[in-house]
Amino acid sequence: MLLPMPPTSSLFLMAESREHPMHVGSLQLFQPPEGATALDVRRMFDDAIGVDEVAPLFQKRPRRSISTLGQWAWETDRAFDLEHHVRRNALPAPGRILELLALCSRLHSTLLDRHRPLWEMHLIEGLEDGRYAAYFKVHHSLVDGVSALRMLSRQLSTDADERNMPAPWAPRERAPREPRPRPNRASTAASTISDALGLGPALLRTVTRAINDQSGSMSLAAPKSMLNVDITGARRFAAQSWPIERIRGVGKAADATVNDVVLAMCSGALRQYMQSLDALPESSLIAMVPVSLHGDGPGSGDGGGNAVGAVMCRLGTDLDDAGERLATVHQSMAEGKEALSTMSPSQILAMSALGISPLALWPALRLTETMRPPFNLIISNVPGPREPMYWNGARLDGLYPLSIPLDGQALNITCTSYSSEIAFGLTGCRRTVPHLQRLLGYLDDELAALERAVGL
Amino acid sequence: MLLPMPPTSSLFLMAESREHPMHVGSLQLFQPPEGATALDVRRMFDDAIGVDEVAPLFQKRPRRSISTLGQWAWETDRAFDLEHHVRRNALPAPGRILELLALCSRLHSTLLDRHRPLWEMHLIEGLEDGRYAAYFKVHHSLVDGVSALRMLSRQLSTDADERNMPAPWAPRERAPREPRPRPNRASTAASTISDALGLGPALLRTVTRAINDQSGSMSLAAPKSMLNVDITGARRFAAQSWPIERIRGVGKAADATVNDVVLAMCSGALRQYMQSLDALPESSLIAMVPVSLHGDGPGSGDGGGNAVGAVMCRLGTDLDDAGERLATVHQSMAEGKEALSTMSPSQILAMSALGISPLALWPALRLTETMRPPFNLIISNVPGPREPMYWNGARLDGLYPLSIPLDGQALNITCTSYSSEIAFGLTGCRRTVPHLQRLLGYLDDELAALERAVGL
C-alpha cells in the first residue's frame, strides 16, 4: 500500500545528489555494564538482530512511479532485509577516537539505497578504551535530526538495571518510565506549515524575498567566505563534548544564555581556524540559528507544533577579544529574537520555513557563489536527554550529531545536550573544509578564553 | 590542464547512477613474509603512504564544464589527498572470509567521489588466519578490469626477496624482471574502434541490429530470468578459487578447453541455484562470453589491440547431466568462435563493441524488462599472473575480481587465473540475487560432478 509523502519530505529526496546526501546521523558511545566488555554489548545487539522485529517507520521505503503520478510516496518494503540495515564494523588498530571519527566520516559520505528503507545502523567494535560504538544514519525525508534524537531516547532507559530491552530499531510498546526529554519541535512545525501551503512557488518567493530583505533581523550582511562554496561528496566529521557546568558558568558570569556561550565558542574557534588558513573575512561571519519562539502551546504533541524561527546571529569573528565576541553574540541573539517576536504571521512563516527547512529549500533557491550568502553557516543546538540513559545496562556515554553540508554551506555545526555535557558535532565537506578536526582544539581554547574573559 | 577523455570512457561516467556504480574492483590477500605478521604488512603500507608518490594516472580526475563544451575531460587534481584514497579498515570478530566478503560487498556498493581521482584502496586488517587484505576500487572510465589487473601485476614482483618496493599506486620506474602476463586486450581494442567511430548513433544502431539479429551466432534466444530485471544499488560479492589442475584435468578428459570447464561450472551452479529458488527457466541460459579472435598481431602494445569478439554461449542449464552440460558449452563455444571467424569486418565490429563494452553500451540501448534479454549474464575469464607474485616479501595469496551488475544484468561472473588457481568473483545486486554466496558451494559441487562425469 502506498502512503502519501509530505512535500517537505519529498523535497529532501529531490534535492539529494552525490555531492550532498540528505541524511543525518548520530554517533553513540556505550560503556559496557559493570563486569561486561564491549563484545558483550555486541552480543546484545546480535541478540536484538536475531529477534527481527522492526518498527513500521523503519520498514517503509520511498517509491515513485506512474501510479503515483511521479510523486514520491512511502510503501512497506516487503523484502525487508535487516542484515542490510544493521552492519558490523571494526576499527583498525590502535582503535582511538581518531579512527572512530574517520570511520564515521566515511560512513556519513555514502548515499543510502533508495530501494530500501532509508536507514543504516553501524555497530562498531575495536575501541581501545573498552567502549562500544554505534553510528546511526537516517534520511532526512524519513525523520529530521530532532526526531531521530527523540526516537533514540525512547528506545533507551534511565534505569541502569533494565534488561531485555528491544533493539533501537524495534517497535517500543511500553510507556516511558520517565517524562520524555522535551524535543525542539522545529521540524514538526515546519512540516505542518509547509504542508498547509504545499510548499509552492508562493512560499519560495516569500522566503527568497525574506532572504534578500535588507531590513529587520535579516539585514545582517554575511561576508563571502571559504564555507560558502560548492562542495564535494566526501565528508569529514569531528566531535567532542564539554561539561554543561563550564558553559553555564560562563553564561551566568556574563549574563548570557548557554546557547550564547555555545555560539561564542563557535565564533572564537572559527576565527582561529580561518586565521590559520589565512581565510578570515574582514566582517563578522553570520550564523543562522534556529530558535523556538514560544514555550509549549496547544497542539504541542507529535502532530502539532510551535512557532519556530531563525535568528541571524552576528558571531563577532572580526573581534579579537573573547569577551567582546560573547557580548556581540548575546546582543545579536537578543535583538534577533525580539525582532522575530514582532514579526507579522507571514513574516514568521517565511522565517520558519527558512529557519527550519533550509536544507530542503536551499537547492530550490539556487543561490550561486556569485551572490552574497544569506548566512555563513547553520549552528543548531538541540536538547537531548537530561539524565544518563542506558540500553540493557550499557550506559550511553556520549551522543554526537552528524548533519548535512550543502553547496554554499560547507560546514554544519550541530550541538546536542545530553546528561551533564554538550556535544559539538562538526560535519564538513572534506575538500572545502580542510583539517576540520582542528576546530575541536580551537573550541576548547575558546571555552578557556571565555572563562578567563568573565573572570572564572 | 585538461586532457580529452575518450568517448568510451566518458560513456561510463554518463551511464553511472546510484543503482549501478561503474567501478570495477579486486580483492587481494597477502601472506606475510616468514616471521612477520599481518600488522607488519600494514606497516609496509603505512610506510608507502608516507612516501606520498602517486602515479599520474591516479592523480587525474574527471571534469566537465562550459570550457569543455559540456564534455568530460581529465585534469590533474591539484589538491590531491592520498589519505582520502587509501583507507584503513578492520574486520569485526571473528574475522573470517565471511566478514571480509561482507565488507567488500559494502565497499563495492558505494559511489566514488567524482571531484577526485576515481579510485580507492582499502587496507583491511583483522583476518583470523593471519593474512592481510586489500580491496582496490577503480572507475571503469579510468581503467577496465583487464588493465587494472595488468597494473597490479606490474607493481608486484616474482622475487620473494625484493624489498623497498613502491606502493601499488606509486609510479613504477624499473623494467619488469619477468615477461609480463599477457593481458586480454579486449578493452583496448574496443576503445580504439569506438574512438574511430566516435561511438555515434550509427554504431549503436549496428549493435542493436546485431543483438536482435536472429541468424548466425546471435541467434540463440535467451529466456527471461530472475537475473534480467532492474537492479538496486546494494551489492553482494562472493569469491572462491579452485586449482587450475582440477579444471584442466576435466578439460583434457573431455577434449574441452579450460574456459569450457569454467563455463560448465557456472552452468551447473546457476542451475542448482535457480532450482533452489524455483526460478530456473525451461530453456537454457545464454551467457555472453568475451573471447579473443586472433593471437598477437601488429599493434599489440598498449596503444593498439586485436580483434576481439563475444560469443553467445548456450550454458545447457536445462540439462540434468553435468557431462551433457559441458558438451553443450563446448559445442556452443566452438560454433560461436567459428561463426565469429567468418563474419564480415562490420559484423566483427558490432560484435566487438557488444562483446567488449557491453557495460558502456547497455544503458544506451535502453533495453527494457518487457523485451527478451539478448543474453542472461556476462561470464568473463581474464588471465592474470602465472607465477606467484610478492610485494615486499608478502606473497599475493589470492586475487579476486569484482565487476559491475547493471539493470537487466543483475549478476556478473568474472574469473581470474593466478599462479596455480582460478578465482571466481561473483558480483550481484543484493536484492535481486539473494543468497549469492550459495553459488560458491554449487560451483564446488559442479566441479566434483564434472570430474565424476569424465571419469576422474
Side-chain angles (χ1 to χ4, degrees):
Chain A
M1 190 183 66
L2 286 168
L3 293 170
M5 188 185 294
T8 38
S9 296
S10 56
L11 207 50
F12 286 112
L13 288 168
M14 288 186 269
E16 186 168 66
S17 76
R18 56 198 290 166
E19 275 77 24
H20 36 81
M22 286 289 189
H23 51 255
V24 295
S26 74
L27 170 62
Q28 298 132 45
L29 287 170
F30 288 99
Q31 181 67 47
E34 193 70 27
T37 68
L39 280 182
D40 293 321
V41 179
R42 175 182 147 165
R43 250 168 245 128
M44 297 193 301
F45 273 108
D46 286 346
D47 291 346
I49 292 170
V51 174
D52 210 7
E53 278 190 351
V54 177
L57 179 71
F58 290 139
Q59 289 187 48
K60 65 184 192 178
R61 63 174 183 177
R63 173 103 188 278
R64 183 167 58 171
S65 70
I66 293 169
S67 69
T68 65
L69 302 175
Q71 301 297 301
W72 284 104
W74 294 116
E75 71 173 0
T76 299
D77 183 0
R78 278 168 301 176
F80 184 83
D81 170 12
L82 188 58
E83 197 202 324
H84 171 84
H85 297 277
V86 184
R87 303 170 178 195
R88 286 182 199 86
N89 297 264
L91 299 179
R96 296 161 299 183
I97 294 294
L98 184 71
E99 279 79 28
L100 178 63
L101 294 179
L103 177 61
C104 288
S105 300
R106 285 161 42 188
L107 295 174
H108 202 63
S109 300
T110 61
L111 292 162
L112 288 159
D113 186 349
R114 286 195 174 184
H115 296 262
R116 301 171 183 267
L118 296 168
W119 64 281
E120 291 170 8
M121 179 92 165
H122 290 261
L123 307 174
I124 305 168
E125 64 195 57
L127 266 170
E128 60 171 356
D129 63 16
R131 292 185 291 182
Y132 194 76
Y135 160 78
F136 178 65
K137 173 175 175 176
V138 60
H139 203 273
H140 207 312
S141 62
L142 200 62
V143 292
D144 56 79
V146 173
S147 306
L149 202 61
R150 185 172 46 194
M151 280 162 37
L152 174 73
S153 309
R154 282 192 192 156
Q155 298 300 112
L156 303 177
S157 169
T158 52
D159 182 356
D161 296 323
E162 188 174 348
R163 294 293 186 277
N164 300 316
M165 292 174 67
W169 54 84
R172 182 79 163 155
E173 299 294 346
R174 72 181 185 92
R177 299 192 171 197
E178 302 286 330
R180 289 176 203 160
R182 200 155 56 80
N184 178 337
R185 289 193 189 76
S187 304
T188 320
S191 303
T192 310
I193 294 166
S194 311
D195 290 359
L197 285 185
L199 207 85
L203 176 59
L204 285 181
R205 271 198 302 277
T206 311
V207 174
T208 311
R209 203 159 50 227
I211 284 177
N212 294 313
D213 188 4
Q214 294 304 306
S215 65
S217 66
M218 303 293 268
S219 67
L220 299 169
K224 286 192 187 184
S225 86
M226 57 172 285
L227 302 179
N228 308 111
V229 296
D230 281 353
I231 63 169
T232 72
R235 297 283 168 270
R236 180 93 74 172
F237 172 60
Q240 192 171 324
S241 294
W242 285 269
I244 291 180
E245 269 320 303
R246 284 185 67 191
I247 294 170
R248 191 175 284 140
V250 171
K252 273 189 186 152
D255 200 21
T257 68
V258 164
N259 201 39
D260 291 342
V261 181
V262 164
L263 291 165
M265 284 174 67
C266 295
S267 168
L270 285 166
R271 174 181 164 87
Q272 208 176 332
Y273 172 75
M274 289 187 168
Q275 269 181 336
S276 76
L277 297 171
D278 203 17
L280 181 68
E282 276 188 33
S283 64
S284 172
L285 293 178
I286 306 295
M288 197 277 269
V289 184
V291 294
S292 177
L293 281 179
H294 308 295
D296 270 357
S300 60
D302 279 5
N306 293 310
V308 175
V311 167
M312 298 296 156
C313 176
R314 179 190 296 276
L315 289 176
T317 49
D318 53 330
L319 302 170
D320 189 43
D321 182 82
E324 286 180 34
R325 286 195 291 270
L326 176 56
T328 300
V329 163
H330 175 66
Q331 189 187 346
S332 184
M333 288 302 293
E335 285 176 5
K337 280 188 266 192
E338 176 64 24
L340 273 182
S341 66
T342 62
M343 282 172 96
S344 72
S346 74
Q347 282 172 313
I348 290 181
L349 171 64
M351 290 298 292
S352 300
L354 174 66
I356 297 133
S357 297
L359 296 173
L361 291 173
W362 197 259
L365 295 173
R366 295 191 184 286
L367 300 167
T368 68
E369 288 187 41
T370 53
M371 285 176 63
R372 257 174 194 281
F375 46 85
N376 297 105
L377 79 163
I378 300 173
I379 305 179
S380 325
N381 192 349
V382 182
R386 290 180 190 177
E387 289 179 78
M389 305 292 283
Y390 297 84
W391 186 68
N392 286 316
R395 192 179 77 239
L396 180 64
D397 205 41
L399 177 61
Y400 304 93
L402 292 88
S403 193
I404 306 178
L406 284 171
D407 278 340
Q409 294 288 326
L411 173 66
N412 177 292
I413 300 182
T414 299
C415 302
T416 311
S417 59
Y418 163 60
S419 186
S420 61
E421 298 200 314
I422 292 188
F424 287 62
L426 319 177
T427 317
C429 163
R430 184 180 165 103
R431 166 143 296 190
T432 321
V433 191
H435 312 298
L436 176 62
Q437 63 282 15
R438 290 187 193 159
L439 271 166
L440 298 179
Y442 299 150
L443 282 167
D444 200 55
D445 293 348
E446 183 66 7
L447 180 53
L450 285 165
E451 286 172 333
R452 282 193 304 274
V454 300
L456 288 176
Chain B
M1 191 185 67
L2 287 167
L3 293 171
M5 188 185 293
T8 37
S9 296
S10 57
L11 207 49
F12 287 113
L13 288 168
M14 288 186 271
E16 186 169 68
S17 76
R18 55 198 291 165
E19 276 77 23
H20 35 80
M22 285 288 187
H23 52 253
V24 294
S26 74
L27 170 63
Q28 297 131 47
L29 287 170
F30 288 99
Q31 181 67 46
E34 193 69 29
T37 69
L39 281 183
D40 292 321
V41 179
R42 174 181 147 166
R43 252 170 242 127
M44 297 193 300
F45 274 108
D46 286 347
D47 291 345
I49 292 171
V51 174
D52 209 7
E53 279 190 353
V54 177
L57 180 72
F58 290 140
Q59 290 187 46
K60 63 184 193 178
R61 63 174 183 177
R63 172 100 191 280
R64 184 168 58 172
S65 70
I66 293 170
S67 69
T68 65
L69 303 173
Q71 302 297 302
W72 284 103
W74 294 114
E75 70 173 1
T76 300
D77 183 0
R78 279 168 302 175
F80 184 83
D81 170 12
L82 188 57
E83 198 201 324
H84 171 85
H85 297 278
V86 184
R87 304 170 177 194
R88 288 183 198 84
N89 297 264
L91 299 179
R96 296 162 299 183
I97 294 295
L98 185 71
E99 279 79 28
L100 178 63
L101 294 179
L103 177 61
C104 288
S105 301
R106 286 162 41 189
L107 294 176
H108 201 64
S109 299
T110 60
L111 293 163
L112 288 159
D113 185 349
R114 286 194 175 185
H115 296 263
R116 301 170 184 267
L118 296 167
W119 65 280
E120 290 171 8
M121 178 93 166
H122 290 262
L123 307 174
I124 305 168
E125 63 195 59
L127 267 170
E128 61 172 355
D129 62 16
R131 291 185 291 182
Y132 193 76
Y135 160 78
F136 177 65
K137 171 176 177 176
V138 60
H139 202 272
H140 208 313
S141 62
L142 200 62
V143 293
D144 56 79
V146 173
S147 305
L149 202 62
R150 186 171 46 193
M151 280 162 37
L152 174 73
S153 308
R154 281 190 193 158
Q155 299 299 113
L156 302 177
S157 169
T158 51
D159 181 357
D161 296 322
E162 189 175 348
R163 294 295 186 277
N164 300 313
M165 292 174 67
W169 54 83
R172 181 80 160 155
E173 299 296 343
R174 70 182 186 90
R177 299 190 172 203
E178 302 285 331
R180 290 175 203 158
R182 204 157 54 81
N184 179 335
R185 289 194 188 74
S187 304
T188 318
S191 302
T192 309
I193 295 166
S194 311
D195 289 359
L197 284 185
L199 208 86
L203 176 59
L204 285 181
R205 271 199 302 276
T206 310
V207 174
T208 311
R209 203 159 53 224
I211 285 177
N212 295 314
D213 187 6
Q214 294 302 307
S215 65
S217 66
M218 305 293 267
S219 66
L220 299 169
K224 284 192 189 185
S225 87
M226 58 174 283
L227 303 180
N228 307 110
V229 297
D230 280 352
I231 62 169
T232 71
R235 297 283 168 270
R236 180 92 75 172
F237 172 60
Q240 192 170 323
S241 294
W242 284 270
I244 290 180
E245 269 320 303
R246 283 184 68 190
I247 293 170
R248 190 175 284 140
V250 171
K252 273 188 186 153
D255 201 21
T257 68
V258 164
N259 200 41
D260 290 342
V261 182
V262 163
L263 290 165
M265 283 173 68
C266 295
S267 167
L270 285 166
R271 175 180 163 89
Q272 209 176 332
Y273 173 76
M274 290 187 167
Q275 269 181 337
S276 76
L277 296 172
D278 204 19
L280 182 69
E282 276 189 30
S283 64
S284 171
L285 294 178
I286 306 295
M288 197 278 271
V289 184
V291 293
S292 176
L293 280 180
H294 307 296
D296 270 356
S300 59
D302 279 4
N306 294 310
V308 176
V311 167
M312 298 296 159
C313 176
R314 179 188 296 277
L315 289 176
T317 49
D318 52 330
L319 302 171
D320 190 43
D321 181 83
E324 286 180 36
R325 285 195 292 270
L326 176 56
T328 300
V329 164
H330 176 66
Q331 190 187 346
S332 184
M333 288 301 292
E335 284 176 5
K337 281 188 266 190
E338 176 66 24
L340 272 184
S341 66
T342 61
M343 283 172 97
S344 72
S346 74
Q347 284 172 313
I348 290 181
L349 171 64
M351 290 299 290
S352 299
L354 174 67
I356 297 135
S357 296
L359 297 173
L361 291 171
W362 198 259
L365 295 173
R366 297 192 181 286
L367 300 167
T368 68
E369 287 188 39
T370 53
M371 286 175 62
R372 257 174 194 280
F375 47 86
N376 297 105
L377 78 163
I378 300 174
I379 304 180
S380 323
N381 192 350
V382 181
R386 292 180 189 175
E387 289 180 77
M389 305 291 281
Y390 298 84
W391 187 67
N392 285 318
R395 192 180 77 240
L396 179 66
D397 206 42
L399 177 61
Y400 304 94
L402 292 89
S403 193
I404 306 177
L406 284 170
D407 278 341
Q409 294 289 326
L411 173 66
N412 177 292
I413 301 182
T414 299
C415 303
T416 311
S417 60
Y418 164 59
S419 186
S420 61
E421 299 200 313
I422 291 187
F424 286 62
L426 318 177
T427 317
C429 164
R430 184 179 165 102
R431 165 143 294 189
T432 321
V433 191
H435 312 298
L436 177 63
Q437 64 281 16
R438 288 187 194 159
L439 272 167
L440 298 179
Y442 298 150
L443 281 168
D444 200 54
D445 293 349
E446 182 67 8
L447 180 53
L450 285 166
E451 286 172 333
R452 284 194 302 274
V454 300
L456 289 177

